Amino acid sequence: MNMVAKLNNDITPDGSDYETVRQVIELITEDYRDQPSLETIAARLGQSPTQLQKTFTRWAGLSPKAFLQAVTLDHAKRLLREEAMPLLETSIEVGLSGPSRLHDLFVTHEAMSPGEWKAKGGGLTIRYGFHPSPFGVALVMATDRGLAGLAFSNHGDEAACLDDMTCRWPNATYVQDTEATAPYAERIFEPGRWTSDQPLRVVLIGTDFQVQVWESLLKIPFGKAVTYSDIANDIGRPKAMRAVGAAVGANPISFVVPCHRAVGKGGALTGYHWGLTRKRAILGWEAAHA
């Protein structure tokens, strides 16, 4: 019998780091044109510059200044519009390559069979847990075959996030198991642990069409973005851009299956299931780590 997923009150650690990092990311991505200084950001949040620097760097993997530089208008244009020289290739060209170049080799995937999908998760045991991430609270979901879900939540909205994800596979059995999902969270957001000899196993649970779209997303290089029409052409369905957009929005494994790298015509940032601010933040984080 299916177990109803429940969110316990103590599922996230105590402390204000989640909220601090979220506010910094939101402030920078919205006000990057003003190039706010560390002191300005700290004052807005009522914290000391030194403590804010330490907190943000520990959680996001780069300083507020580096993140700001990554999401400036000129940098965003390079990321989203210049097809001739993607950021990753540019960084390698100027000698700034890093472990992020291993991202494509870090992820390997398989898809559930059509029968398993039709069962809506029936027979599956999905373990889940909430973990800290550079982009807020991350809900990590895994089966015995690998990572099946990754979602994001602001602090206090975890229950809604959990409901959103569990309704995708209503017949699955859900078990809260933070210990089991912690190794996934630790690897996903730490570029230093992206290795090709021990790839992250991902399980895609969706319709045949959705899986095609998600597999196309996995082809997008780290530090680059493509349009929905590019994805439609890649899967051999050039007239199905609307359906492609819906499949991108339904992607259950955010960040790892990089739906954030799908943009509108001309490089315009379009909606993102977990919030447009978070989409900007992820693109900026990738640019900084490329």
Side-chain angles (χ1 to χ4, degrees):
M1 182 179 294
N2 181 40
M3 294 175 60
V4 178
K6 295 182 179 180
L7 181 65
N8 295 337
N9 293 331
D10 62 351
I11 203 164
T12 53
D14 293 334
S16 59
D17 284 354
Y18 287 129
E19 184 62 19
T20 295
V21 173
R22 185 194 69 78
Q23 289 184 44
V24 172
I25 288 175
E26 186 172 77
L27 191 154
I28 289 177
T29 54
E30 291 181 353
D31 298 344
Y32 65 86
R33 292 180 181 84
D34 296 331
Q35 296 291 291
S37 65
L38 175 63
E39 289 73 19
T40 298
I41 297 172
R44 291 272 295 274
L45 272 62
Q47 297 192 20
S48 74
T50 300
Q51 183 59 41
L52 182 63
Q53 173 97 353
K54 290 181 178 179
T55 299
F56 189 88
T57 302
R58 183 176 71 251
W59 286 82
L62 67 165
S63 69
K65 181 178 180 180
F67 187 85
L68 173 61
Q69 291 172 341
V71 294
T72 56
L73 183 59
D74 288 342
H75 206 133
K77 286 181 178 179
R78 289 180 65 197
L79 174 64
L80 299 174
R81 295 189 175 91
E82 291 186 13
E83 297 290 338
M85 181 63 73
L87 285 179
L88 179 55
E89 295 178 14
T90 302
S91 66
I92 294 175
E93 184 71 18
V94 298
L96 296 178
S97 60
S100 60
R101 69 184 183 278
L102 294 174
H103 184 265
D104 297 336
L105 298 176
F106 167 66
V107 178
T108 185
H109 72 279
E110 66 170 302
M112 290 287 188
S113 69
E116 289 173 312
W117 159 248
K118 289 180 181 179
K120 297 183 178 180
L124 280 179
T125 295
I126 300 180
R127 301 183 183 278
Y128 69 92
F130 286 85
H131 302 273
S133 87
F135 315 111
V137 183
L139 169 59
V140 179
M141 312 180 81
T143 71
D144 291 339
R145 293 158 66 175
L147 181 70
L150 176 61
F152 296 106
S153 169
N154 293 331
H155 187 59
D157 295 332
E158 293 91 343
C161 178
L162 183 61
D163 287 343
D164 181 284
M165 293 297 290
T166 55
C167 72
R168 298 166 189 246
W169 313 297
N171 295 331
T173 296
Y174 293 93
V175 178
Q176 182 182 328
D177 192 344
T178 303
E179 183 176 351
T181 55
Y184 289 98
E186 291 168 359
R187 295 189 68 201
I188 290 168
F189 301 110
E190 179 49 64
R193 300 186 64 179
W194 295 353
T195 60
S196 58
D197 58 332
Q198 293 183 324
L200 176 70
R201 191 69 175 173
V202 170
V203 180
L204 303 177
I205 308 174
T207 66
D208 288 343
F209 180 82
Q210 287 174 329
V211 169
Q212 282 186 307
V213 171
W214 300 338
E215 288 177 334
S216 181
L217 291 173
L218 284 167
K219 298 177 186 177
I220 307 173
F222 191 98
K224 187 177 179 181
V226 304
T227 64
Y228 296 106
S229 60
D230 291 331
I231 297 171
N233 288 327
D234 181 63
I235 65 173
R237 302 284 294 274
K239 296 182 180 180
M241 285 185 291
R242 188 181 297 274
V244 164
V248 170
N251 169 36
I253 313 178
S254 301
F255 187 76
V256 175
V257 178
C259 52
H260 57 276
R261 298 180 196 159
V263 298
K265 185 177 181 181
L269 292 182
T270 54
Y272 184 60
H273 190 77
W274 306 112
L276 192 55
T277 293
R278 187 169 278 112
K279 181 171 184 173
R280 293 192 187 102
I282 294 174
L283 289 169
W285 185 92
E286 288 192 347
H289 284 79

